[in-house]
Amino acid sequence: MSYLVAANWKMNKTNAQTVEYLQIFKKLYREPLPNVEVMVAPPFTSLSTASIQLRDSLIKLGAQNMHFEEKGAFTGEISPYMLKELNVEYVILGHSERRHIFGEKDEVINKKVLSAIKHGIRPILCVGETLEERELGKTLNVIERQVRSGIAGLDKDVFLVDIAYEPVWAIGTGINATPDQAQEVHQFIRELLKSISKESDNGCRILYGGSVNENNAKELIKEKDVEGFLVGTASIDPERFYKIITHCLEA
Ligand code: PGA
Protein backbone atom coordinates (compact mmCIF):
# COMPACT_ATOMS: atom_id res chain seq x y z
CA MET A 1 0.00 0.00 0.00
CA SER A 2 1.35 3.44 -0.85
CA TYR A 3 1.50 6.35 1.55
CA LEU A 4 -0.78 9.29 0.83
CA VAL A 5 0.54 12.77 1.45
CA ALA A 6 -2.15 15.40 1.03
CA ALA A 7 -1.98 19.18 1.03
CA ASN A 8 -4.93 21.03 2.55
CA TRP A 9 -4.48 24.64 1.53
CA LYS A 10 -7.63 25.69 3.39
CA MET A 11 -8.70 29.28 2.51
CA ASN A 12 -5.38 30.19 0.91
CA LYS A 13 -4.28 31.04 -2.64
CA THR A 14 -5.96 32.81 -5.52
CA ASN A 15 -6.01 31.37 -9.03
CA ALA A 16 -2.78 33.14 -9.94
CA GLN A 17 -1.09 31.87 -6.78
CA THR A 18 -2.34 28.37 -7.54
CA VAL A 19 -0.64 28.43 -10.94
CA GLU A 20 2.56 29.79 -9.40
CA TYR A 21 2.61 27.09 -6.70
CA LEU A 22 1.84 24.19 -9.03
CA GLN A 23 4.47 25.21 -11.54
CA ILE A 24 7.12 25.16 -8.82
CA PHE A 25 5.77 21.96 -7.32
CA LYS A 26 5.64 20.11 -10.63
CA LYS A 27 9.33 20.88 -11.14
CA LEU A 28 10.13 19.42 -7.73
CA TYR A 29 7.92 16.38 -8.14
CA ARG A 30 8.81 15.18 -11.61
CA GLU A 31 9.60 11.51 -11.13
CA PRO A 32 7.07 9.01 -9.78
CA LEU A 33 7.96 8.17 -6.20
CA PRO A 34 7.64 4.54 -5.21
CA ASN A 35 5.04 4.06 -2.48
CA VAL A 36 3.96 7.68 -2.22
CA GLU A 37 0.81 9.20 -3.67
CA VAL A 38 0.47 12.97 -3.56
CA MET A 39 -2.70 15.05 -3.50
CA VAL A 40 -3.30 18.78 -3.41
CA ALA A 41 -6.61 20.30 -2.24
CA PRO A 42 -6.91 23.96 -3.25
CA PRO A 43 -9.97 26.11 -2.49
CA PHE A 44 -12.99 25.62 -4.79
CA THR A 45 -12.21 28.77 -6.80
CA SER A 46 -8.84 27.30 -7.83
CA LEU A 47 -10.01 23.78 -8.67
CA SER A 48 -10.59 24.41 -12.34
CA THR A 49 -7.19 26.09 -12.74
CA ALA A 50 -5.49 23.34 -10.76
CA SER A 51 -7.24 20.68 -12.81
CA ILE A 52 -5.70 22.12 -16.00
CA GLN A 53 -2.30 22.52 -14.36
CA LEU A 54 -2.28 18.96 -13.10
CA ARG A 55 -3.38 17.30 -16.31
CA ASP A 56 -0.81 14.58 -17.16
CA SER A 57 1.02 15.17 -13.89
CA LEU A 58 1.64 12.75 -11.02
CA ILE A 59 -0.30 14.92 -8.59
CA LYS A 60 -3.87 14.07 -7.68
CA LEU A 61 -6.49 16.74 -7.21
CA GLY A 62 -8.64 16.97 -4.08
CA ALA A 63 -11.46 19.18 -2.77
CA GLN A 64 -11.75 20.42 0.80
CA ASN A 65 -15.46 19.70 1.19
CA MET A 66 -18.62 18.97 -0.81
CA HIS A 67 -22.38 18.71 -0.44
CA PHE A 68 -23.91 15.24 -0.60
CA GLU A 69 -26.58 16.11 -3.19
CA GLU A 70 -25.87 16.21 -6.92
CA LYS A 71 -27.65 19.51 -7.54
CA GLY A 72 -30.44 21.70 -6.25
CA ALA A 73 -31.32 24.66 -4.05
CA PHE A 74 -28.28 24.64 -1.75
CA THR A 75 -26.89 28.15 -1.97
CA GLY A 76 -23.13 28.31 -1.62
CA GLU A 77 -22.58 24.55 -1.89
CA ILE A 78 -20.58 22.43 -4.35
CA SER A 79 -21.68 18.98 -5.48
CA PRO A 80 -19.78 15.76 -6.22
CA TYR A 81 -21.05 15.99 -9.77
CA MET A 82 -19.28 19.35 -10.20
CA LEU A 83 -16.08 18.01 -8.68
CA LYS A 84 -16.03 14.96 -10.95
CA GLU A 85 -16.03 17.14 -14.06
CA LEU A 86 -12.77 18.71 -12.84
CA ASN A 87 -11.11 15.32 -12.29
CA VAL A 88 -11.21 15.65 -8.54
CA GLU A 89 -10.21 12.26 -7.12
CA TYR A 90 -10.24 13.00 -3.37
CA VAL A 91 -12.40 14.97 -0.99
CA ILE A 92 -11.56 15.94 2.59
CA LEU A 93 -14.67 15.41 4.74
CA GLY A 94 -15.41 16.14 8.38
CA HIS A 95 -12.36 18.34 8.86
CA SER A 96 -12.29 19.73 12.39
CA GLU A 97 -12.76 23.26 11.07
CA ARG A 98 -15.94 22.09 9.33
CA ARG A 99 -17.08 20.37 12.52
CA HIS A 100 -16.18 23.10 15.00
CA ILE A 101 -16.51 26.36 13.07
CA PHE A 102 -19.33 25.38 10.69
CA GLY A 103 -21.17 22.97 12.97
CA GLU A 104 -21.06 19.86 10.76
CA LYS A 105 -22.44 16.84 12.56
CA ASP A 106 -21.55 13.16 12.24
CA GLU A 107 -24.76 12.33 10.31
CA VAL A 108 -24.12 14.93 7.62
CA ILE A 109 -20.49 13.88 7.31
CA ASN A 110 -21.63 10.29 6.83
CA LYS A 111 -24.00 11.36 4.03
CA LYS A 112 -21.10 13.13 2.35
CA VAL A 113 -18.84 10.06 2.67
CA LEU A 114 -21.47 7.82 1.08
CA SER A 115 -22.17 10.33 -1.68
CA ALA A 116 -18.49 10.79 -2.51
CA ILE A 117 -18.04 7.04 -2.87
CA LYS A 118 -21.15 6.78 -5.01
CA HIS A 119 -19.63 9.35 -7.36
CA GLY A 120 -16.21 7.72 -7.45
CA ILE A 121 -14.44 10.32 -5.31
CA ARG A 122 -12.31 8.95 -2.48
CA PRO A 123 -13.15 10.53 0.89
CA ILE A 124 -10.52 11.40 3.47
CA LEU A 125 -12.59 11.26 6.63
CA CYS A 126 -11.09 13.44 9.38
CA VAL A 127 -11.47 12.54 13.02
CA GLY A 128 -9.88 13.94 16.17
CA GLU A 129 -10.40 14.87 19.78
CA THR A 130 -10.25 18.31 21.39
CA LEU A 131 -7.74 19.07 24.12
CA GLU A 132 -10.48 18.90 26.72
CA GLU A 133 -11.58 15.46 25.51
CA ARG A 134 -7.97 14.24 25.63
CA GLU A 135 -7.48 15.56 29.15
CA LEU A 136 -10.67 13.84 30.27
CA GLY A 137 -9.35 10.55 28.88
CA LYS A 138 -12.04 10.43 26.19
CA THR A 139 -9.81 10.37 23.11
CA LEU A 140 -10.54 6.83 21.97
CA ASN A 141 -14.28 7.15 22.65
CA VAL A 142 -14.47 10.26 20.48
CA ILE A 143 -12.43 8.64 17.71
CA GLU A 144 -14.57 5.51 17.80
CA ARG A 145 -17.77 7.54 17.56
CA GLN A 146 -16.49 9.67 14.69
CA VAL A 147 -15.11 6.70 12.72
CA ARG A 148 -18.18 4.50 13.24
CA SER A 149 -20.63 7.20 12.27
CA GLY A 150 -18.47 8.53 9.44
CA ILE A 151 -18.35 5.19 7.64
CA ALA A 152 -21.76 3.87 8.69
CA GLY A 153 -23.39 1.93 5.88
CA LEU A 154 -20.16 1.06 4.11
CA ASP A 155 -19.62 -2.37 5.66
CA LYS A 156 -17.04 -4.25 3.64
CA ASP A 157 -16.44 -1.23 1.39
CA VAL A 158 -14.46 0.49 4.13
CA PHE A 159 -11.37 0.17 1.92
CA LEU A 160 -12.81 2.94 -0.28
CA VAL A 161 -12.08 5.54 2.42
CA ASP A 162 -8.92 7.00 3.90
CA ILE A 163 -9.01 8.30 7.45
CA ALA A 164 -7.04 11.25 8.81
CA TYR A 165 -6.41 11.38 12.53
CA GLU A 166 -6.15 15.08 13.30
CA PRO A 167 -6.19 15.96 16.99
CA VAL A 168 -7.92 19.35 17.20
CA TRP A 169 -5.30 20.64 19.64
CA ALA A 170 -2.55 19.95 17.09
CA ILE A 171 -4.13 21.67 14.07
CA GLY A 172 -2.45 24.93 13.20
CA THR A 173 -0.93 25.22 16.68
CA GLY A 174 2.64 24.15 15.96
CA ILE A 175 2.19 21.38 18.56
CA ASN A 176 2.10 18.02 16.82
CA ALA A 177 1.09 14.74 18.43
CA THR A 178 4.19 12.77 19.38
CA PRO A 179 4.87 9.65 17.29
CA ASP A 180 3.67 7.55 20.25
CA GLN A 181 0.44 9.48 20.63
CA ALA A 182 -0.23 9.21 16.91
CA GLN A 183 0.58 5.50 16.80
CA GLU A 184 -1.72 4.73 19.74
CA VAL A 185 -4.72 6.27 17.98
CA HIS A 186 -3.80 4.96 14.53
CA GLN A 187 -3.52 1.43 15.87
CA PHE A 188 -6.87 1.83 17.58
CA ILE A 189 -8.45 2.97 14.30
CA ARG A 190 -6.82 0.07 12.43
CA GLU A 191 -8.29 -2.45 14.90
CA LEU A 192 -11.65 -0.74 14.81
CA LEU A 193 -11.77 -0.91 11.00
CA LYS A 194 -10.92 -4.58 11.09
CA SER A 195 -13.72 -5.26 13.55
CA ILE A 196 -16.24 -3.20 11.55
CA SER A 197 -15.46 -4.47 8.07
CA LYS A 198 -14.99 -8.10 9.15
CA GLU A 199 -13.51 -8.85 5.75
CA SER A 200 -10.50 -6.68 5.18
CA ASP A 201 -9.57 -3.07 5.63
CA ASN A 202 -6.78 -3.29 3.08
CA GLY A 203 -6.49 -0.12 1.10
CA CYS A 204 -7.84 2.14 3.83
CA ARG A 205 -4.96 4.40 4.82
CA ILE A 206 -4.71 6.16 8.15
CA LEU A 207 -3.07 9.56 7.80
CA TYR A 208 -1.83 11.82 10.54
CA GLY A 209 -2.53 15.57 10.48
CA GLY A 210 -1.85 18.40 12.90
CA SER A 211 1.24 20.62 12.63
CA VAL A 212 3.09 18.19 10.36
CA ASN A 213 6.20 19.84 8.97
CA GLU A 214 9.50 19.00 7.30
CA ASN A 215 11.14 18.48 10.71
CA ASN A 216 8.67 16.15 12.46
CA ALA A 217 7.46 14.13 9.44
CA LYS A 218 10.50 11.87 9.48
CA GLU A 219 9.82 10.48 12.96
CA LEU A 220 6.04 10.32 12.61
CA ILE A 221 6.14 8.30 9.39
CA LYS A 222 8.29 5.63 11.04
CA GLU A 223 5.30 4.56 13.13
CA LYS A 224 3.77 1.33 11.92
CA ASP A 225 0.24 2.60 11.41
CA VAL A 226 1.02 6.09 10.15
CA GLU A 227 0.36 5.76 6.44
CA GLY A 228 0.69 9.33 5.26
CA PHE A 229 -0.11 12.90 6.20
CA LEU A 230 -2.72 15.58 5.80
CA VAL A 231 -0.72 18.80 5.88
CA GLY A 232 -2.09 22.31 6.33
CA THR A 233 0.30 25.18 7.10
CA ALA A 234 3.46 23.50 5.79
CA SER A 235 1.74 22.57 2.52
CA ILE A 236 1.26 26.22 1.57
CA ASP A 237 4.92 26.33 0.55
CA PRO A 238 5.75 23.89 -2.29
CA GLU A 239 9.30 23.30 -1.10
CA ARG A 240 8.29 22.49 2.47
CA PHE A 241 5.53 20.21 1.22
CA TYR A 242 7.88 18.37 -1.09
CA LYS A 243 10.34 17.83 1.74
CA ILE A 244 7.64 16.14 3.81
CA ILE A 245 6.95 13.82 0.88
CA THR A 246 10.60 12.85 0.61
CA HIS A 247 10.61 11.80 4.29
CA CYS A 248 7.96 9.22 3.43
CA LEU A 249 10.22 7.85 0.72
CA GLU A 250 12.94 7.25 3.24
CA ALA A 251 10.65 5.49 5.74
P1 PGA B 1 -1.90 22.11 10.07
O1 PGA B 1 -3.34 21.71 9.52
O2 PGA B 1 -0.88 21.29 9.34
O3 PGA B 1 -1.76 23.58 9.79
O4 PGA B 1 -1.89 21.82 11.53
C1 PGA B 1 -3.65 20.37 9.25
C2 PGA B 1 -5.07 20.24 8.81
O5 PGA B 1 -5.92 20.98 9.32
O6 PGA B 1 -5.41 19.41 7.94
Side-chain angles (χ1 to χ4, degrees):
M1 189 194 310
S2 66
Y3 292 121
L4 173 63
V5 186
N8 176 10
W9 289 0
K10 308 192 180 183
M11 198 172 71
N12 291 290
K13 299 199 188 292
T14 64
N15 263 294
Q17 290 166 335
T18 298
V19 173
E20 199 184 329
Y21 179 109
L22 291 176
Q23 289 193 342
I24 298 169
F25 190 59
K26 280 193 291 184
K27 283 196 188 122
L28 294 168
Y29 181 30
R30 264 180 314 203
E31 305 289 329
L33 303 176
N35 298 330
V36 187
E37 203 181 341
V38 176
M39 180 275 261
V40 173
F44 288 132
T45 46
S46 289
L47 277 178
S48 176
T49 301
S51 178
I52 294 165
Q53 285 290 320
L54 297 182
R55 204 178 280 153
D56 302 322
S57 86
L58 302 162
I59 304 149
K60 305 277 170 70
L61 186 59
Q64 298 176 18
N65 186 25
M66 58 164 233
H67 195 274
F68 50 84
E69 296 286 359
E70 259 184 24
K71 59 179 178 168
F74 302 101
T75 302
E77 294 291 322
I78 302 288
S79 86
Y81 188 61
M82 297 166 183
L83 298 179
K84 269 310 265 190
E85 192 193 43
L86 299 175
N87 299 318
V88 167
E89 292 182 63
Y90 284 92
V91 61
I92 300 168
L93 295 175
H95 188 279
S96 85
E97 286 145 22
R98 299 294 328 162
R99 291 178 191 265
H100 296 287
I101 305 174
F102 301 101
E104 276 189 27
K105 298 274 176 278
D106 286 329
E107 302 78 60
V108 169
I109 295 164
N110 176 240
K111 283 189 183 175
K112 292 183 176 193
V113 167
L114 298 177
S115 169
I117 289 173
K118 186 174 151 210
H119 289 88
I121 303 173
R122 190 172 176 93
I124 299 176
L125 169 68
C126 303
V127 298
E129 81 288 0
T130 62
L131 186 58
E132 192 190 358
E133 287 162 341
R134 174 162 280 267
E135 285 174 350
L136 289 169
K138 290 188 184 159
T139 298
L140 299 183
N141 302 39
V142 171
I143 301 298
E144 177 164 0
R145 192 202 76 229
Q146 292 178 342
V147 171
R148 278 191 189 279
S149 56
I151 61 173
L154 278 183
D155 306 317
K156 61 181 179 15
D157 289 339
V158 159
F159 68 93
L160 294 173
V161 179
D162 293 313
I163 292 186
Y165 168 54
E166 299 207 305
V168 179
W169 48 271
I171 296 178
T173 58
I175 305 165
N176 59 287
T178 63
D180 283 353
Q181 284 172 326
Q183 173 57 24
E184 186 198 3
V185 178
H186 282 228
Q187 190 177 348
F188 175 77
I189 296 172
R190 176 61 64 212
E191 295 302 322
L192 183 60
L193 292 175
K194 278 188 194 153
S195 74
I196 294 171
S197 76
K198 304 227 172 37
E199 304 215 342
S200 158
D201 64 344
N202 276 346
C204 175
R205 288 166 292 197
I206 306 170
L207 319 180
Y208 169 76
S211 298
V212 174
N213 60 38
E214 62 281 27
N215 302 316
N216 58 30
K218 199 173 177 160
E219 292 306 313
L220 284 160
I221 201 69
K222 283 186 189 154
E223 294 299 329
K224 183 173 166 291
D225 295 302
V226 175
E227 293 155 336
F229 296 121
L230 182 54
V231 189
T233 311
S235 77
I236 301 293
D237 175 332
E239 265 132 33
R240 292 183 73 193
F241 184 51
Y242 186 68
K243 220 164 190 177
I244 293 170
I245 296 165
T246 58
H247 287 314
C248 297
L249 260 185
E250 292 156 14

